[in-house]
């Protein structure tokens, strides 16, 4: 039975190959998403030029960015939930840093230039050799080209691709954009070529919080001390250096294939370490070695309960239930708030003059209306007063406004009726004004409360005389 398991394990696709498929999918999605548009809006775009957030084909203006906190909460809760269930799966399977390093290290350096071996990530080539040094330069040039593509792709989530390429035609007028692309590309070159996995170990804060999110049911790359034996003592000091030093019954061969293949230079047999990014290279290495002996891998992608305690992994548990509930609440709020998107924004401010009284005792108030068309097509806007016959709109003409444009209009409300007979003070009167698109009033209607100031009665009397 054990031999059958090991043979089946050998025949199964290595995690490394599976990760390559995921990397290809993630990379294609990252490059394609900025170009996909729904109703002339992007799937995701945070445009600083237009002060808009595009989300799933809906454009939200700056005044509607109350959605951003929900998106951030969704992002962090999602990563925390994935970590609690599958360890640092994000780091090993979808993080741009890991994908960039795999492209440079495994594709360019190892596969194309034959500078390294994928199975030995610890050994650096001898760059004193002229041939290796020239290959290194070629590798950096190839990655530099990809880094500029990646930098441009990053900017496409803030500047629409159609605008981005138009700006490049006049580079001298858009030096800030050019500078941003060059700066991001330069950082990616330094990060991938020089900083390497030190970014994951020393800079990325995610590694520092993983231990808080892990529990005995978290699936991770884990070495079975029950089968393989203790290579390190309780103080994390290495006590076994050679296969001859292993106790009888211990299955580890001390070949250290799991060590040489690790991109972050750790020994998984030491236990959980913050440097581990769950890439599962060590699982593949041990699977191959132990498979030749007709045994199951000593390093598995499993939980502490499953490997060390013999208890089945419990996916549905307190932490995962709480994360699920939190994600459901945030998603619900996001859909509810997103469904309330206004296709017209309207700000109303009163002018500095409280009111004006003409010779006929007609009282007027001036207001400044700021209309903004947040829809993807032009609309003709009109306004009317709700629920009052004694106050009229004296000055306003319906007008047409193009998509994503703003327009200021001075609106005068007036009355020739005696609304209040108070000799002691001016009286504020609440007026409800409805603004709407004449071509689509059911979809685009906004109500605003205005304060109409009516003068003291003695001011009217003086004019009557």
């Amino acid at each position: 039975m054990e031999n059958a398991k090991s043979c089946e394990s050998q025949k199964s696709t290595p995690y490394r190959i599976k990760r390559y498929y995921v990397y290809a999918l993630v990379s294609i999605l990252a490059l394609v998403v900025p170009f996909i548009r729904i109703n002339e809006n992007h799937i995701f775009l945070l445009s600083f030029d237009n002060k808009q957030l595009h989300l799933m084909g809906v454009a939200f203006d700056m005044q509607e960015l109350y959605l951003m906190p929900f998106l951030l909460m969704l992002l962090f809760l999602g990563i925390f939930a994935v970590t609690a269930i599958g360890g640092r799966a994000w780091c090993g399977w979808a993080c741009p840093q890991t994908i960039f390093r795999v492209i440079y290290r495994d594709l360019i350096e190892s596969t194309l230039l034959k500078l390294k071996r994928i199975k030995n990530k610890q050994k650096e080539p001898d760059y004193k050799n002229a041939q290796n040094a020239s290959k290194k330069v070629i590798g950096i040039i190839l990655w530099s080209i990809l880094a500029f593509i990646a930098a441009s792709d990053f900017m496409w989530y803030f500047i629409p691709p159609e605008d981005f390429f138009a700006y490049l035609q006049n580079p001298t007028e858009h030096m800030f954009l050019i500078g941003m692309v060059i700066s991001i590309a330069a950082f990616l070159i330094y990060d991938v070529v020089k900083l390497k996995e030190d970014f994951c170990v020393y800079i990325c804060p995610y590694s520092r919080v993983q231990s808080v999110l892990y529990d005995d049911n978290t699936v991770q790359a884990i070495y079975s001390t029950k089968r393989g034996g203790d290579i390190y003592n309780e103080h994390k000091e290495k006590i076994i250096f050679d296969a001859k030093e292993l106790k009888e019954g211990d299955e580890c061969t001390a070949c250290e294939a799991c060590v040489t293949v690790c991109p972050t230079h750790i020994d998984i047999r030491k236990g959980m370490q913050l440097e581990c990014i769950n890439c599962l290279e060590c699982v593949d290495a041990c699977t191959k070695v132990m498979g030749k002996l007709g045994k199951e891998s000593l390093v598995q992608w499993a939980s502490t309960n499953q490997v060390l305690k013999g208890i089945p992994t419990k996916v549905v548990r307190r932490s995962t239930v709480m994360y699920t509930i939190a994600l459901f609440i945030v998603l619900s709020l996001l859909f509810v708030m997103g469904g309330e998107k206004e296709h017209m924004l309207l700000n109303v401010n009163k002018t500095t003059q409280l009111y004006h009284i003409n010779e006929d005792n007609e009282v007027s108030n001036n207001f400044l209306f700021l209309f903004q068309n947040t829809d993807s097509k032009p609309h003709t806007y009109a306004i009317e007063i709700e629920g009052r016959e004694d106050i009229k709109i004296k000055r306003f003409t319906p007008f047409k406004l193009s998509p994503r444009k703003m327009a200021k209009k001075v609106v005068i409300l007036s009355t020739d009726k005696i609304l209040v007979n108070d000799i002691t003070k001016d009286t504020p009167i609440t007026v409800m004004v409805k603004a709407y698109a004449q071509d689509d009033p059911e979809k685009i209607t906004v109500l605003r409360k205005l304060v109409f100031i009516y003068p003291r009665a003695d001011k009217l009397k003086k004019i009557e005389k």
Side-chain angles (χ1 to χ4, degrees):
M1 180 64 105
E2 188 177 340
N3 288 340
K5 273 188 180 180
S6 62
C7 290
E8 184 180 344
S9 174
Q10 275 187 295
K11 291 178 182 178
S12 63
T13 306
Y15 286 115
R16 177 170 57 84
I17 303 302
K18 293 177 181 177
R19 284 191 298 115
Y20 288 167
Y21 291 144
V22 175
Y23 294 162
L25 177 62
V26 171
S27 300
I28 291 171
L29 282 175
L31 289 167
V32 169
V33 164
F35 293 90
I36 300 176
R37 303 174 74 176
I38 302 173
N39 297 326
E40 299 301 317
N41 296 319
H42 294 263
I43 288 183
F44 181 83
L45 172 70
L46 185 58
S47 173
F48 293 107
D49 281 350
N50 299 321
K51 298 181 176 64
Q52 285 185 330
L53 167 67
H54 290 201
L55 187 62
M56 300 308 292
V58 180
F60 297 90
D61 283 83
M62 192 62 68
Q63 296 91 328
E64 300 174 285
L65 289 191
Y66 48 75
L67 292 176
M68 285 302 295
F70 294 103
L71 291 174
L72 293 174
M73 283 190 286
L74 197 63
L75 173 65
F76 285 107
L77 282 173
I79 291 177
F80 291 164
V82 169
T83 305
I85 296 171
R88 290 177 66 179
W90 161 259
C91 295
W93 293 74
C95 178
Q97 166 73 16
T98 304
I99 295 175
F100 292 156
R101 277 294 296 160
V102 167
I103 291 173
Y104 179 71
R105 183 191 63 229
D106 292 2
L107 177 60
I108 296 176
E109 285 193 318
S110 301
T111 304
L112 296 180
L113 302 178
K114 308 296 183 184
L115 268 174
K116 292 183 177 181
R117 292 179 65 242
I118 292 177
K119 294 178 182 178
N120 190 345
K121 296 179 173 59
Q122 313 296 323
K123 186 177 180 181
E124 289 292 330
D126 178 15
Y127 290 117
K128 292 181 181 179
N129 181 299
Q131 185 178 5
N132 288 346
S134 61
K135 285 183 177 181
K136 178 76 171 180
V137 173
I138 293 171
I140 294 174
I141 292 173
L142 290 175
W143 170 244
S144 298
I145 296 171
L146 295 177
F148 274 96
I149 295 174
S152 300
D153 182 41
F154 176 77
M155 294 302 297
W156 294 338
Y157 287 90
F158 301 93
I159 298 172
E162 58 271 19
D163 293 345
F164 180 88
F165 292 113
Y167 293 162
L168 290 184
Q169 295 176 12
N170 298 292
T172 55
E173 296 179 9
H174 301 92
M175 291 307 296
F176 180 77
L177 171 63
I178 303 297
M180 283 295 297
V181 173
I182 292 174
S183 299
I184 295 170
F187 171 77
L188 291 178
I189 296 169
Y190 172 77
D191 172 39
V192 171
V193 175
K194 186 70 176 176
L195 200 56
K196 305 177 183 177
E197 278 73 21
D198 285 346
F199 180 90
C200 308
V201 178
Y202 299 110
I203 298 176
C204 180
Y206 185 39
S207 61
R208 266 64 186 174
V209 302
Q210 65 170 344
S211 58
V212 180
L213 303 172
Y214 279 23
D215 57 33
D216 288 345
N217 285 295
T218 298
V219 177
Q220 57 185 300
I222 187 169
Y223 167 74
S224 175
T225 54
K226 290 175 65 177
R227 289 179 50 221
D230 292 316
I231 308 299
Y232 290 82
N233 60 21
E234 62 274 13
H235 303 296
K236 304 296 183 182
E237 297 170 341
K238 194 171 184 180
I239 55 176
I240 302 297
F241 296 89
D242 191 87
K244 298 176 182 178
E245 300 176 357
L246 291 165
K247 298 177 183 178
E248 186 178 350
D250 291 346
E251 298 181 20
C252 181
T253 63
C255 67
E256 304 221 336
C258 60
V259 179
T260 57
V261 79
C262 179
T264 56
H265 298 201
I266 65 171
D267 189 341
I268 195 63
R269 299 170 298 176
K270 196 174 185 178
M272 188 187 77
Q273 298 155 76
L274 62 83
E275 295 92 341
C276 179
I277 60 173
N278 247 13
C279 66
L280 309 183
E281 294 271 13
C282 53
V283 178
D284 287 337
C286 191
T287 298
K288 188 171 183 179
V289 172
M290 297 305 294
K292 293 178 181 178
L293 302 176
K295 297 179 180 180
E296 193 177 1
S297 175
L298 297 173
V299 186
Q300 299 179 24
W301 193 28
S303 67
T304 301
N305 279 344
Q306 182 180 339
V307 175
L308 302 182
K309 300 180 182 179
I311 304 172
T313 302
K314 192 176 180 181
V315 176
V316 180
R317 54 191 189 271
R318 182 180 176 183
S319 60
T320 57
V321 169
M322 294 301 292
Y323 281 125
T324 303
I325 293 172
L327 284 170
F328 177 77
I329 292 173
V330 174
L331 269 174
S332 300
L333 290 172
L334 183 60
F335 278 109
V336 170
M337 301 296 283
E340 295 180 356
K341 182 214 167 16
E342 295 185 30
H343 296 277
M344 174 183 68
L345 297 179
L346 176 62
N347 289 330
V348 180
N349 294 300
K350 204 170 185 316
T351 60
T352 54
Q353 185 182 33
L354 283 180
Y355 49 78
H356 174 73
I357 307 171
N358 65 14
E359 296 178 355
D360 299 325
N361 266 349
E362 183 183 25
V363 179
S364 61
N365 282 209
N366 295 352
F367 297 88
L368 183 63
F369 280 53
L370 177 60
F371 292 85
Q372 184 172 357
N373 183 0
T374 61
D375 206 357
S376 58
K377 57 184 180 180
H379 292 289
T380 300
Y381 295 124
I383 62 173
E384 61 184 42
I385 295 175
E386 293 269 292
R388 295 197 73 105
E389 299 293 335
D390 47 5
I391 298 178
K392 306 293 184 181
I393 300 173
K394 186 176 180 180
R395 175 180 164 184
F396 181 82
T397 304
F399 68 99
K400 190 173 184 178
L401 188 59
S402 301
R404 303 185 184 91
K405 297 296 183 180
M406 294 188 295
K408 291 182 180 179
K409 298 291 181 180
V410 175
V411 177
I412 300 176
L413 303 186
S414 67
T415 180
D416 55 5
K417 310 291 184 183
I418 299 177
L419 303 182
V420 181
N421 190 14
D422 189 337
I423 199 170
T424 61
K425 63 180 185 303
D426 297 333
T427 304
I429 300 172
T430 301
V431 179
M432 183 69 72
V433 173
K434 181 175 78 171
Y436 59 95
Q438 289 182 333
D439 50 303
D440 196 355
E442 293 185 3
K443 176 183 175 182
I444 306 176
T445 297
V446 175
L447 296 176
R448 291 289 183 266
K449 287 184 179 179
L450 312 185
V451 178
F452 185 91
I453 305 297
Y454 194 79
R456 300 196 313 264
D458 61 325
K459 292 190 175 182
L460 296 175
K461 289 176 183 178
K462 286 180 181 179
I463 293 176
E464 288 176 349
K465 293 178 182 179

